[in-house]
Amino acid sequence: MAADRVDGSWMRHGFEDQFTSEEYLHHLSSAFYMYYTDKRHETGGNPKSENQYYPLQDWRMRDRLKTVSAALAICLNIGVDPPDVIKTNPCAKLECWIDPYNPLAGPANKVMEQIGKTLQTQYETLSIRTRYKQFLDPSVEETKKFCSSLRRNAKDERILFHYNGHGVPKPTASGEIWVFNKGYTQYIPISLYDLQSWLGAPSLFVYDCSDAGNIVQNFNRFVEKHEDESAEIRQKDPSALLMGYSDAIQLAACGVGETLPTNPELPADLFTCCLTTPCEIALRFFVMQNPLPSNITINDLPKIPGRLSERRSPLGELNWIFTAITDTIAWNTLSRSMFKKLFRQDLMVAALFRNFLLAQRIMRVYQCHPQSWPEIPETHHHPLWQSWDLAVELVLAQVPALVEAEDGKKQYEYQHSDFFAVQLTAFEVYLTQDAVDQKPPDQLPIVLQVLLSQSHRLRALILLSRFLDLGAWAVNLALSIGIFPYVCKLLQSGAAELRPVMIFIWARILAVDPSTQTDLLKDNGYQYFTNILNPASGLPVGNASEHRAMCAFIVAMFCKDFHQAQVVCLAPELIRGCLNHLKDLENPLLRQWSCICISLLWVDFPEAKWVGIRCSAHTKLCEMALDPVPEVRAAMLHALNNFLGIPDLTDQVAHIEESILSTLLIMTTDGSSLVRKELLVLFSTFVKRFENKFIVTAYEQVLEEKDYLLRRSSKDFTGPTVETRNGEHTSRFLNGEQKSSVPGISQGAVFASIWKHLLIMSVDPHPEVARNGGIVVDYVTKAMMESTIGFAAQQAIDDIVRLSRRSPQRVLSTDVNSRTVQRPTSPTPRATPKHDGYLTNSMKRTASVAGALKSLAFGGSINAETPSSSNAVNHSGRGLQQNKLSGSARTSTPPEWSRPPDAKDQSSTYSSYRPAKVPLPRAFRPRRLGGALAMPLRSNFLAWSIEVRAKPNSDWSVLCRDLWNRLIGTQYFREPQMKPSEADEPGSADYNQRLWRRNRNEKIITQTQPQKEQAGSSRWDNPAGFFNNGTQPNKICFHQFEEHLVVTDDRDSVCIWDWHRQARLSRFSNGNPHGSKINEARFINEDDQALLMTGSSDGVIKLFRNYESEKEVELVSAFRALTDLVPSNKNAGLVFDWQQGQGKALVAGDVKVIRVWNANTETCTNDIPARSGSCVTSLTSDQVAGHMFVAGFGDGAIRLYDQRLKPAEAMIKVWKHHKQWITNVHMQRGGLRELISGSRNGDIKLWDLRMTLPMREITATRDTLRSLSVHEHAPIFATGSERHSVKVFNVNGGFLSSFEPYSSFLHQNRSAPIAATAFHPHRMMLACAALNDNHINLFACEDKRHGTMWNDLIDR
């Protein structure tokens, strides 16, 4: 955008230089600033309720079992075939890969022993620690004896019973299995009922025989019979020791009526081979089923080199892949509870069930369908089996070369499978596409297996961290799959490259499940993080401070409610390290969690507090009171709150604690409700600790108020109690004498200061702060009334109430201003007797300890006789300067010249005034009256901090290009951090809505641009709308882009209108006290979803979200922007100007300073002296650069300030050409950037900041000028006069239109003054309202070519 030129004039004030830089213009067009949209504003600083959290699953194996014993019952009776089995010739012969009919194998008994040993060896590959007992061709007696013995020895652990029935008849229809008699002349059946009685439970049965399904079908029937018998016994004898039978797992080779395969190329015990030697049988099955020609035969399979336990060897890699695939198939097929029971509870059960999936796949080819209990679904068709076939094929293809290499014929290096790399890539694709729907990833068990590989470990950990970043549900899944033992073991690794990702993973785990802190204590795993937290330690990343912030979080969570952790972490080095991190100005998260880490180390641990004292921790923490980040300030208060309470209350401890509280009194005026709530928690702890002293303080406060009221009745009394330098309290009388009263014992002590601030905070503009402050005040008041001085206190309170009612005005109810305090320039180590700033005289007479007096807090009106606040009597020895403030600064001019135009207006007294709903913060819970007063207050800051989300990095598109950088630029906690927020994610609903709003805004600006050029020469008296607001309009403001019009009345109501449809959208109360009104209303964040900011005459600024919905409107923030308003009959109240580009609110009014509030830090960053004895009536500023601002004053002066200069030198120019009250001064944000001012006598002046004289002077009216509005972009302005007339002029002084707002038929008042006018920022539209009339009138500019511009705008 080049410098604008309209009507031959260049842009004012030399601002065209701002637009000669292309870089600066690009910054203006691309930068969108959003304020009061952080997590603390969205949640109100309150954590989610328990039902909003993702439920934590019980992932730990609390009922983990071991298969301690195994009975291997092998019934072969080699050489004798059972009568019900007809074998083919040839047929399957191999048992445990041994041919029992081979003449070279030896006699039958030797072969049986060899088969038994081999079977035991195969099982030992699954569980080496299990005790195995071989039953070779057992008899009934032996079976009973050995089974009973195993159960006695196993106690409550699991027993495996493996049954090979190849040499006996098939199980009966009732499920009986067969063994032998002692002479091997008969087959003897064993009932399942008896077998269950001998083995009990928990147990694991493997049936390798034909018709095995009969056993499974009948097993549960006999279990129920056992349980019924046990129930009968328990009814007769409740103390009887009974055995359980229900916890039994069964694996059967085939179903009912099925016969085992007899293919001679397969082993006879095919089911057993699948369960105990899966790789061997899987290779054989692949060769047999491979339809492609190959040189590999079954005889070549034993030549595959390697061992199962060596993952780098071909055979070991195949076994590793097989384990990963079967685990993954089970994970994707079974329910979570079933997977946990079968694949994570018992190592033997997990191994057998993994291999059982292979049996399902192989045996069904031979018309056998293995059975299990609990039943699991068929898995033979799972697509991962194709990956297994590919892995097998790649290995078999290398077998000839590997054999030749072993024989020394050629050199060949085994080419490892890319299975895990491919699966990690698939997992990465999942993270970028499917994770949005919280769909569990198929590859998660494979990622777990990959952690065993050093070559893939780092990539797997990074992908795992990205998965954990998806939220608590992802952490729960990872823990349930069994990730935790691996990340625990990796804490013992010294690999530097793993540290950043390990920090992130542990932070996510601890944020979701703090119970893992006990695991950190084992093997000193916590030292992994305390060492990194040391500033001297190195980290192989560029942003080490962010990872140290995570370490501080981990150590903090480790110490939370865990005394053993506090003990092992207690070291001066840890505290000094955290204190050193407080100096890191670049990373507020590190400062915040360093404070919380110290805080949780101090909880109920006096030894740690003394270490902190020796490190001067409390002093260094107090220095954080002015930190620019509200979360850091709150964390500091959280730490100091836990520091209080050393049991041994010595003079040293008392001195330290009092100095801490004295220093932190500055934070009572903090703009963040999060900070003020945490400060109240600290105050409540201090009050509880020194309860008796606060009771005395409260009592003395009551006596002081009573004394004030008594002395006020004196005819020659002129002012409130003041404090002299020697600490005495005096009252000033007309003759100049001072009457002294004896000060109380609490005067000059920190307890009196805290008590007065508690009284102020009990009427805080933020409901949560007020609620908590009321609890503390009521607690002390109740304790006072129940103490020995309770009777005297009650009498004093009754006297106060009686004297207040007798007084011609309520002394206690002048204004909220008189309850407030002035912010000191720097913290002081201890409370001083001098009451500059904190202990204002107005507080002494308004801050009441009694509930009855609280009800009088804001009941009266403001008038000239109300004593001013302490800054008028204490600052610079100005004693009685409030008398000067009440009159004109220029004694030669009539007093009405320096009074507001509406000074004589009477507030409307509507008998039918309907109070509106007062919006509350999100998650606010009102206090339950009558409940117990729990002290100290409970802080929610820690719980909220764990779940808080930081803003994504602005260079996110760059970070996304590199996998490792995805980890580096992140935060942690419970919500996703590695990706942009929903509103910044392209394609998301929030993103699309934001993009739509941006396009709409640009369209509106483009459409209205040519209309702005015509507005300066067209008529403006075309009616465009008319609606009844219901209450007297006081302030009107248009939204730049939405069709919203905000109207505030002369009380506390805010109405939001859709001016296009002329329909009211919502009405709510601003909540300002009786006797005050809303002075200003502005929209902020108008480029996106706007918030409504209001300022009221009690010095309070509030922000609301969802203001357009009466049901959903919420309070975002509320703070007292002006703490020392001077009530007077020429009251300007509070005026402010919002700078969207700078994120600042310039606030002034009936005070001596112009206060600059920073929306990001939520603190007052600057107090600029107004350099005037009059009040500020209007503020306006340069909305582009934001450095310069202009203030209009009640004496007619206009002053120019530059925020870049020191406060004392900020005023750089003053114009005194106006002689009366400045009705308004406004600088356009666009157009020529005209600066226009108007005074109450109707004089309008146009200014250039570089000139000392006005550029143009216009007399808009001879009557009193009630309002002045300037269009933000068009060269026009409008005035509203005392005579019910609205006039529109162009900036050249040309008169355009004059009209009178319409009224309803029954309320025609042609002489009512104009109450408010406002232009739409872009459209050619003007809204106005008259006094004593509830209607809003809309007028539009005429377009001579197309009718009115109004029609052009609404026909879209």
Side-chain angles (χ1 to χ4, degrees):
M1 179 175 67
D4 289 344
R5 185 172 182 172
V6 180
D7 295 333
S9 301
W10 290 101
M11 187 176 293
R12 306 295 184 211
H13 324 301
F15 284 166
E16 62 270 10
D17 296 337
Q18 296 177 351
F19 303 102
T20 57
S21 169
E22 292 295 331
E23 181 180 353
Y24 186 73
L25 292 176
H26 174 73
H27 172 73
L28 289 179
S29 62
S30 61
F32 288 88
Y33 301 97
M34 302 287 289
Y35 302 99
Y36 293 99
T37 56
D38 292 331
K39 188 76 173 185
R40 63 180 181 272
H41 304 119
E42 294 177 0
T43 63
N46 296 309
K48 297 177 181 177
S49 59
E50 292 298 326
N51 56 1
Q52 290 179 295
Y53 284 124
Y54 189 89
L56 178 63
Q57 299 175 359
D58 187 11
W59 54 272
R60 292 184 184 271
M61 294 292 113
R62 305 188 189 280
D63 52 351
R64 182 182 291 274
L65 295 175
K66 295 180 181 178
T67 303
V68 296
S69 301
L72 307 180
I74 307 175
C75 301
L76 294 180
N77 196 14
I78 299 174
V80 180
D81 292 335
D84 58 348
V85 175
I86 301 175
K87 294 184 178 181
T88 62
N89 190 15
C91 68
K93 296 180 180 179
L94 299 181
E95 300 282 352
C96 296
W97 305 104
I98 297 174
D99 184 359
Y101 300 101
N102 188 346
L104 301 178
N109 59 341
K110 295 294 183 180
V111 174
M112 279 294 295
E113 291 179 3
Q114 188 177 359
I115 291 174
K117 290 180 180 179
T118 304
L119 180 60
Q120 178 175 332
T121 301
Q122 292 174 181
Y123 266 109
E124 285 175 347
T125 61
L126 307 182
S127 177
I128 189 65
R129 296 183 179 181
T130 302
R131 298 187 298 270
Y132 297 94
K133 181 67 177 178
Q134 303 172 26
F135 301 164
L136 306 179
D137 291 338
S139 64
V140 175
E141 292 79 8
E142 291 174 338
T143 304
K144 178 179 179 181
K145 174 183 176 183
F146 288 130
C147 288
S148 301
S149 175
L150 288 176
R151 173 46 62 195
R152 285 195 303 271
N153 295 331
K155 298 181 180 179
D156 295 330
E157 298 291 348
R158 195 183 306 278
I159 295 176
L160 166 66
F161 182 79
H162 178 97
Y163 175 70
N164 182 327
H166 297 172
V168 294
K170 299 177 183 179
T172 64
S174 61
E176 295 171 313
I177 62 173
W178 300 87
V179 291
F180 305 97
N181 62 0
K182 289 186 177 181
Y184 297 97
T185 58
Q186 291 181 337
Y187 299 109
I188 308 297
I190 296 179
S191 169
L192 286 178
Y193 179 85
D194 294 334
L195 187 62
Q196 291 171 357
S197 301
W198 302 336
L199 289 174
S203 53
L204 170 61
F205 295 90
V206 178
Y207 312 121
D208 190 353
C209 59
S210 299
D211 251 354
N214 277 333
I215 307 175
V216 177
Q217 277 190 354
N218 289 277
F219 193 92
N220 289 337
R221 180 166 59 86
F222 290 108
V223 168
E224 292 176 3
K225 184 177 179 181
H226 275 294
E227 295 295 340
D228 292 341
E229 293 175 354
S230 298
E232 293 178 3
I233 297 174
R234 192 174 289 107
Q235 287 181 352
K236 297 177 182 179
D237 184 6
S239 61
L241 297 177
L242 300 175
M243 183 184 298
Y245 301 94
S246 60
D247 187 7
I249 299 173
Q250 304 173 76
L251 299 174
C254 57
V256 177
E258 295 180 347
T259 303
L260 294 179
T262 58
N263 188 329
E265 294 184 348
L266 295 174
D269 59 346
L270 177 61
F271 185 62
T272 300
C273 289
C274 288
L275 295 183
T276 58
T277 57
C279 284
E280 289 86 340
I281 195 63
L283 289 168
R284 180 179 290 255
F285 176 74
F286 178 84
V287 173
M288 293 173 61
Q289 296 295 317
N290 187 9
L292 300 176
S294 174
N295 296 326
I296 303 297
T297 65
I298 292 177
N299 297 329
D300 295 326
L301 297 180
K303 299 178 183 178
I304 299 177
R307 299 168 56 186
L308 296 176
S309 58
E310 297 175 354
R311 287 193 294 272
R312 300 297 295 173
S313 67
L315 193 60
E317 187 177 58
L318 273 180
N319 185 61
W320 185 24
I321 294 174
F322 176 81
T323 301
I325 286 178
T326 51
D327 239 20
T328 304
I329 291 175
W331 165 261
N332 295 324
T333 306
L334 306 181
S335 65
R336 295 291 172 259
S337 58
M338 184 67 69
F339 179 83
K340 178 180 176 181
K341 177 180 180 180
L342 300 182
F343 286 82
R344 292 295 181 265
Q345 192 180 59
D346 187 326
L347 292 178
M348 176 69 84
V349 174
L352 288 176
F353 265 92
R354 276 196 299 266
N355 301 340
F356 179 77
L357 302 184
L358 177 66
Q360 280 187 327
R361 185 189 190 211
I362 293 178
M363 298 193 70
R364 69 176 289 103
V365 177
Y366 303 100
Q367 289 73 50
C368 284
H369 300 83
Q371 309 291 307
S372 70
W373 183 263
E375 295 184 34
I376 63 174
E378 290 289 340
T379 60
H380 64 277
H381 56 276
H382 198 280
L384 271 180
W385 284 120
Q386 299 176 14
S387 299
W388 166 250
D389 290 339
L390 177 61
V392 171
E393 185 175 7
L394 293 176
V395 171
L396 292 180
Q398 300 182 67
V399 169
L402 291 172
V403 172
E404 291 181 1
E406 282 193 352
D407 295 340
K409 297 180 180 179
K410 61 181 293 187
Q411 289 186 349
Y412 183 79
E413 184 176 352
Y414 173 65
Q415 301 298 315
H416 292 280
S417 172
D418 62 351
F419 170 79
F420 290 106
V422 170
Q423 294 300 318
L424 287 179
T425 301
F427 187 49
E428 187 174 4
V429 172
Y430 160 85
L431 291 173
T432 58
Q433 296 182 359
D434 297 334
V436 177
D437 300 327
Q438 295 190 5
K439 175 187 175 184
D442 296 343
Q443 301 81 14
L444 192 56
I446 296 177
V447 176
L448 177 65
Q449 291 292 326
V450 174
L451 293 180
L452 301 173
S453 169
Q454 192 167 358
S455 59
H456 298 292
R457 182 175 296 159
L458 179 59
R459 184 187 179 197
L461 285 172
I462 293 175
L463 292 176
L464 177 63
S465 66
R466 288 177 55 190
F467 175 68
L468 298 181
D469 184 61
L470 297 178
W473 67 273
V475 177
N476 273 321
L477 279 178
L479 292 175
S480 64
I481 198 65
I483 205 76
F484 189 69
Y486 292 83
V487 295
C488 278
K489 189 175 181 180
L490 286 175
L491 290 179
Q492 309 304 319
S493 171
E497 67 274 10
L498 297 183
R499 289 179 185 173
V501 66
M502 285 295 295
I503 292 170
F504 183 89
I505 290 174
W506 269 97
R508 299 299 296 194
I509 292 175
L510 274 168
V512 174
D513 188 358
S515 69
T516 53
Q517 59 190 177
T518 57
D519 301 275
L520 280 177
L521 190 60
K522 300 174 183 177
D523 301 324
N524 298 326
Y526 68 93
Q527 293 182 356
Y528 189 90
F529 305 105
T530 55
N531 292 336
I532 297 175
L533 196 55
N534 189 332
S537 65
L539 273 174
V541 289
N543 58 340
S545 62
E546 291 190 11
H547 289 83
R548 288 200 172 95
M550 299 182 197
C551 286
F553 166 76
I554 293 170
V555 176
M557 297 303 295
F558 176 54
C559 294
K560 182 176 180 290
D561 302 326
F562 191 25
H563 183 66
Q564 288 178 276
Q566 292 175 300
V567 173
V568 298
C569 287
L570 179 57
E573 293 76 15
L574 177 62
I575 294 181
R576 290 195 188 99
C578 290
L579 294 174
N580 188 68
H581 292 317
L582 298 182
K583 303 175 184 178
D584 190 336
L585 301 180
E586 300 297 325
N587 195 315
L589 195 68
L590 177 57
R591 302 199 302 274
Q592 176 185 345
W593 279 99
S594 295
C595 291
I596 296 178
C597 182
I598 296 174
S599 175
L600 296 182
L601 185 63
W602 278 342
V603 175
D604 299 327
F605 194 18
E607 290 81 359
K609 297 177 184 180
W610 280 110
V611 173
I613 291 175
R614 287 189 286 271
C615 295
S616 301
H618 58 286
T619 303
K620 295 177 181 178
L621 285 171
C622 286
E623 295 173 359
M624 307 298 291
L626 300 178
D627 191 277
V629 179
E631 289 84 352
V632 177
R633 301 197 297 273
M636 176 271 294
L637 293 172
H638 189 276
L640 291 176
N641 177 61
N642 286 327
F643 174 80
L644 300 180
I646 297 177
D648 187 12
L649 187 56
T650 61
D651 291 341
Q652 179 190 4
V653 172
H655 174 79
I656 290 174
E657 294 185 355
E658 290 178 22
S659 66
I660 290 173
L661 270 293
S662 175
T663 302
L664 297 181
L665 286 174
I666 190 176
M667 303 185 73
T668 55
T669 57
D670 197 287
S672 171
S673 60
L674 178 72
V675 176
R676 299 200 303 276
K677 285 195 297 183
E678 205 60 30
L679 180 63
L680 270 176
V681 175
L682 177 66
F683 281 170
S684 68
T685 303
F686 192 73
V687 167
K688 182 69 174 178
R689 184 163 172 81
F690 298 96
E691 183 174 325
N692 291 334
K693 292 188 177 182
F694 278 96
I695 290 175
V696 174
T697 302
Y699 178 67
E700 291 180 350
Q701 176 70 30
V702 173
L703 295 182
E704 185 178 339
E705 294 202 19
K706 176 185 174 182
D707 181 62
Y708 172 78
L709 291 175
L710 288 173
R711 287 183 284 107
R712 181 178 175 81
S713 62
S714 176
K715 295 181 180 180
D716 52 356
F717 176 79
T718 63
T721 301
V722 297
E723 184 173 308
T724 59
R725 293 186 178 182
N726 59 7
E728 292 184 355
H729 295 260
T730 64
S731 298
R732 188 177 298 276
F733 289 79
L734 290 174
N735 58 8
E737 298 178 356
Q738 292 183 348
K739 181 178 179 180
S740 177
S741 60
V742 179
I745 61 174
S746 66
Q747 297 299 332
V750 70
F751 306 102
S753 303
I754 294 175
W755 179 241
K756 289 176 172 60
H757 282 293
L758 282 171
L759 293 169
I760 296 170
M761 297 178 81
S762 68
V763 289
D764 192 271
H766 195 278
E768 285 191 76
V769 180
R771 177 197 63 191
N772 295 347
I775 292 175
V776 180
V777 169
D778 288 349
Y779 177 86
V780 175
T781 304
K782 181 181 178 183
M784 177 184 69
M785 303 307 294
E786 294 175 351
S787 67
T788 55
I789 59 175
F791 180 76
Q794 184 62 56
Q795 284 187 325
I797 292 173
D798 294 341
D799 291 341
I800 290 174
V801 175
R802 175 175 49 80
L803 291 170
S804 300
R805 291 173 178 172
R806 183 192 307 172
S807 177
Q809 68 170 358
R810 291 185 178 179
V811 181
L812 302 174
S813 58
T814 56
D815 190 41
V816 176
N817 317 331
S818 60
R819 284 184 161 267
T820 56
V821 295
Q822 182 174 356
R823 201 167 53 86
T825 56
S826 61
T828 54
R830 290 187 62 83
T832 59
K834 187 176 181 180
H835 286 199
D836 286 347
Y838 288 127
L839 309 181
T840 63
N841 298 289
S842 57
M843 285 191 300
K844 294 181 194 300
R845 53 185 182 73
T846 61
S848 172
V849 298
L853 297 181
K854 272 188 181 182
S855 65
L856 303 175
F858 304 110
S861 60
I862 304 170
N863 58 45
E865 295 179 1
T866 304
S868 63
S869 62
S870 63
N871 72 317
V873 294
N874 287 338
H875 288 189
S876 306
R878 287 181 291 158
L880 296 177
Q881 276 192 354
Q882 70 270 25
N883 295 330
K884 296 181 181 181
L885 295 173
S886 300
S888 172
R890 301 174 183 176
T891 57
S892 60
T893 60
E896 63 270 11
W897 285 17
S898 57
R899 291 176 183 169
D902 58 354
K904 297 181 180 180
D905 292 351
Q906 298 295 323
S907 292
S908 54
T909 56
Y910 309 124
S911 58
S912 60
Y913 189 87
R914 180 173 57 89
K917 167 190 172 183
V918 178
L920 297 173
R922 186 173 297 178
F924 173 74
R925 294 182 179 180
R927 178 181 170 188
R928 186 168 57 89
L929 298 178
L933 299 174
M935 286 280 285
L937 298 174
R938 185 173 63 90
S939 172
N940 291 324
F941 177 72
L942 177 61
W944 176 82
S945 296
I946 295 172
E947 67 187 27
V948 75
R949 175 191 173 114
K951 290 183 178 179
N953 195 305
S954 59
D955 296 330
W956 186 251
S957 58
V958 178
L959 294 176
C960 288
R961 296 173 188 171
D962 182 63
L963 181 64
W964 177 249
N965 283 341
R966 281 183 177 272
L967 176 67
I968 292 179
T970 62
Q971 308 300 334
Y972 42 104
F973 308 137
R974 290 176 179 159
E975 294 184 354
Q977 307 301 327
M978 289 192 181
K979 64 177 183 178
S981 62
E982 186 73 9
D984 297 324
E985 186 73 43
S988 67
D990 289 346
Y991 181 89
N992 291 338
Q993 291 173 7
R994 178 170 291 181
L995 185 62
W996 178 87
R997 284 191 290 266
R998 182 172 180 178
N999 292 334
R1000 178 211 50 193
N1001 300 348
E1002 293 176 352
K1003 182 179 179 181
I1004 291 175
I1005 294 174
T1006 302
Q1007 288 180 342
T1008 57
Q1009 192 64 34
Q1011 300 167 359
K1012 298 168 186 175
E1013 299 175 0
Q1014 302 177 27
S1017 59
S1018 302
R1019 295 186 60 81
W1020 277 79
D1021 54 359
N1022 295 280
F1026 178 73
F1027 47 86
N1028 188 349
N1029 188 59
T1031 56
Q1032 171 63 58
N1034 184 47
K1035 294 291 180 181
I1036 304 174
C1037 181
F1038 282 95
H1039 192 290
Q1040 284 195 65
F1041 306 109
E1042 301 286 351
E1043 295 170 344
H1044 295 164
L1045 175 69
V1046 58
V1047 181
T1048 66
D1049 64 14
D1050 56 352
R1051 292 194 178 187
D1052 65 348
S1053 292
V1054 179
C1055 291
I1056 308 297
W1057 288 85
D1058 183 324
W1059 52 259
H1060 183 198
R1061 297 187 294 113
Q1062 300 184 31
R1064 195 177 73 184
L1065 302 178
S1066 70
R1067 177 177 181 263
F1068 57 90
S1069 171
N1070 188 60
N1072 45 288
H1074 179 69
S1076 63
K1077 64 179 181 180
I1078 303 173
N1079 288 109
E1080 299 280 1
R1082 296 283 191 278
F1083 291 105
I1084 73 171
N1085 304 340
E1086 291 178 277
D1087 289 318
D1088 195 62
Q1089 291 178 304
L1091 303 178
L1092 178 63
M1093 176 184 286
T1094 64
S1096 50
S1097 59
D1098 58 347
V1100 171
I1101 286 182
K1102 294 185 177 181
L1103 291 105
F1104 303 93
R1105 74 162 63 87
N1106 303 327
Y1107 57 84
E1108 73 280 7
S1109 172
E1110 197 162 320
K1111 294 182 179 179
E1112 298 179 4
V1113 60
E1114 295 176 339
L1115 179 68
V1116 177
S1117 181
F1119 61 96
R1120 203 174 299 281
L1122 295 181
T1123 56
D1124 46 7
L1125 284 175
V1126 181
S1128 67
N1129 61 346
K1130 51 166 205 162
N1131 195 335
L1134 174 147
V1135 295
F1136 73 81
D1137 188 50
W1138 168 250
Q1139 295 181 319
Q1140 183 71 30
Q1142 297 289 321
K1144 295 178 181 177
L1146 308 174
V1147 188
D1150 297 320
V1151 288
K1152 296 305 176 188
V1153 295
I1154 300 171
R1155 190 155 286 173
V1156 182
W1157 284 90
N1158 189 303
N1160 279 323
T1161 65
E1162 296 190 65
T1163 57
C1164 177
T1165 56
N1166 216 352
D1167 273 353
I1168 299 176
R1171 304 273 297 272
S1172 172
S1174 183
C1175 60
V1176 178
T1177 65
S1178 180
L1179 281 173
T1180 187
S1181 63
D1182 170 21
Q1183 291 289 334
V1184 180
H1187 305 307
M1188 315 287 285
F1189 69 91
V1190 178
F1193 290 83
D1195 59 0
I1198 298 175
R1199 287 176 170 82
L1200 172 64
Y1201 302 86
D1202 191 336
Q1203 297 185 61
R1204 294 168 293 185
L1205 302 178
K1206 295 179 181 179
E1209 303 171 357
M1211 195 197 78
I1212 57 178
K1213 190 181 291 288
V1214 58
W1215 296 289
K1216 297 185 178 181
H1217 297 75
H1218 286 290
K1219 303 303 180 183
Q1220 297 189 25
W1221 179 282
I1222 299 298
T1223 300
N1224 191 18
V1225 58
H1226 187 82
M1227 180 185 292
Q1228 291 181 311
R1229 70 177 64 182
L1232 292 181
R1233 312 292 299 282
E1234 296 283 7
L1235 175 62
I1236 303 176
S1237 64
S1239 59
R1240 61 168 287 159
N1241 63 350
D1243 289 343
I1244 307 295
K1245 301 184 188 299
L1246 280 71
W1247 307 88
D1248 190 300
L1249 300 181
R1250 299 166 293 181
M1251 300 181 181
T1252 57
L1253 296 176
M1255 297 179 57
R1256 186 170 289 108
E1257 299 185 30
I1258 304 168
T1259 301
T1261 179
R1262 298 297 181 182
D1263 303 317
T1264 301
L1265 182 68
R1266 298 293 298 253
S1267 69
L1268 168 65
S1269 297
V1270 181
H1271 199 284
E1272 293 289 0
H1273 299 276
I1276 54 172
F1277 62 90
T1279 63
S1281 70
E1282 189 82 15
R1283 299 296 181 184
H1284 198 68
S1285 174
V1286 176
K1287 296 181 181 180
V1288 181
F1289 299 83
N1290 61 30
V1291 295
N1292 295 321
F1295 174 78
L1296 301 179
S1297 296
S1298 177
F1299 49 85
E1300 297 179 354
Y1302 295 106
S1303 300
S1304 63
F1305 177 74
L1306 297 178
H1307 295 87
Q1308 291 285 345
N1309 189 351
R1310 303 298 296 274
S1311 62
I1314 299 300
T1317 57
F1319 279 105
H1320 191 286
H1322 292 288
R1323 305 182 191 276
M1324 301 304 106
M1325 189 188 310
L1326 173 66
C1328 58
L1331 190 64
N1332 302 322
D1333 189 354
N1334 301 339
H1335 292 81
I1336 303 292
N1337 289 259
L1338 299 180
F1339 293 89
C1341 178
E1342 179 185 14
D1343 186 344
K1344 299 177 181 178
R1345 296 172 301 175
H1346 305 99
T1348 65
M1349 293 185 182
W1350 167 266
N1351 293 329
D1352 290 342
L1353 294 177
I1354 63 176
D1355 293 340
R1356 58 185 181 275

